[in-house]
Amino acid sequence: MNRPALDIARLRSTLAESPERAFFTEIDLVESTGSTNADLVARAADSHTDHLVLLAEAQERGRGRHERTWVSPPRAQIAMSLLVRARGIDPAVLGWLPLLTGVAVVDAVRAATGVKAILKWPNDILVDGRKLAGILAEIAAAGSDPAVVVGIGLNVSLTEAELPVPHATSLVLSGNPDPDRTALAAAILREFARRFTAWEATGWDIADLSADYRDRCSTIGAKVRAELPGGEVLTGIATGVDEHGRLLIGDRAVAAGDVTHLRAEY
């Protein structure tokens, strides 16, 4: 299968010509690394670093939630991380940053590829009940202006035989035979920048963000099963997302755990 390299020059020029051109201070591409998230977490110790992007054609130790590995053949996915500082944010709403990223990725995938992606709480991107992309956010530096690294792993050209798990999918398997990874990466970065800038401008108010998230989240209204830390299992209807970004199952707020849609394959 032909898997072209990301065109970092075109990516940079595309973003330079967009309304979000001033947002990113540095956009780098490496052929291979252990983890783009780990690389940017290490750089966050420098308090002057902000709005950095690192992409890798292959990751040797890519990670998802709960320390699950995320593997892919070289050039078959988009693997990238963003380092941002949420200056003056209320820690109570910082959990909305990965949810914002999920909304940005869904909207970028829809616009750039035509694939009808949706969200599964908290920030998995699904197509027809199968996982297309995952997001992992890590606080790299705490304080009044916390630095957060947000990692995105999106399957682009993986075949059925290359999928890491049976319930995964890729853009090629979802009906887009020739995805342009460079254009898609640019779309994701533009949408993230637009949404992050708008959120910061409101003083980190979540009203608009939470409305957009609920509009794209297939978990809300579904019957779900949540496996919670400590071994507890909770089953019920997901009724919404609270002000901290936690999933509401009945009258219980769930902050972490594996949530399964009981009316879907995934």
Side-chain angles (χ1 to χ4, degrees), residues 5-241:
L6 284 163
D7 187 337
I8 188 65
R10 177 159 66 94
L11 176 60
R12 288 169 177 158
S13 65
T14 299
L15 290 170
E17 295 166 0
S18 74
E20 295 75 31
R21 58 186 174 275
F23 186 84
F24 298 108
T25 58
E26 188 175 321
I27 303 172
D28 291 328
L29 171 68
V30 295
E31 191 63 31
S32 178
T33 189
S35 162
T36 54
N37 260 35
D39 291 348
L40 289 191
V41 167
R43 294 186 63 180
D46 180 354
S47 62
H48 298 292
T49 57
D50 196 0
H51 293 198
L52 308 183
V53 179
L54 178 63
L55 300 101
E57 295 288 22
Q59 288 191 106
E60 300 168 8
R61 295 184 299 277
R63 292 174 294 123
R65 293 171 58 240
H66 308 303
E67 295 300 317
R68 297 188 180 107
T69 57
W70 183 277
V71 295
S72 171
R75 301 181 179 181
Q77 67 168 199
I78 290 175
M80 72 176 167
S81 297
L82 301 82
L83 170 62
V84 293
R85 295 182 188 273
R87 303 185 187 281
I89 196 171
D90 181 347
V93 300
L94 188 57
W96 276 93
L97 180 55
L99 276 62
L100 175 149
T101 308
V103 173
V105 173
V106 161
D107 285 0
V109 167
R110 291 177 179 178
T113 72
V115 171
K116 298 187 182 304
I118 59 171
L119 281 165
K120 172 182 174 286
W121 184 89
N123 45 37
D124 284 346
I125 288 83
L126 306 185
V127 178
D128 295 330
R130 301 173 72 180
K131 184 172 177 177
L132 177 71
I135 293 165
L136 176 66
E138 301 179 88
I139 296 177
S144 59
D145 299 330
V148 184
V149 174
V150 184
I152 301 165
L154 190 152
N155 293 331
V156 176
S157 62
L158 274 75
T159 65
E160 287 282 359
E162 293 171 328
L163 295 175
V165 291
H167 58 258
T169 191
S170 68
L171 289 174
V172 166
L173 294 173
S174 300
N176 189 309
D178 190 25
D180 183 335
R181 288 193 305 140
T182 300
L184 179 55
I188 292 171
L189 291 173
R190 283 198 307 267
E191 190 62 24
F192 177 89
R194 186 184 71 80
R195 287 191 170 274
F196 186 92
T197 300
W199 188 30
E200 186 175 28
T202 68
W204 310 112
D205 183 89
I206 64 167
D208 291 342
L209 173 57
S210 59
D212 288 346
Y213 180 84
R214 292 183 179 95
D215 183 57
R216 292 156 179 79
C217 183
S218 63
T219 306
I220 298 171
K223 186 175 182 180
V224 300
R225 180 179 186 270
E227 298 180 13
L228 306 179
E232 181 184 0
V233 175
L234 178 64
T235 302
I237 301 296
T239 56
V241 178

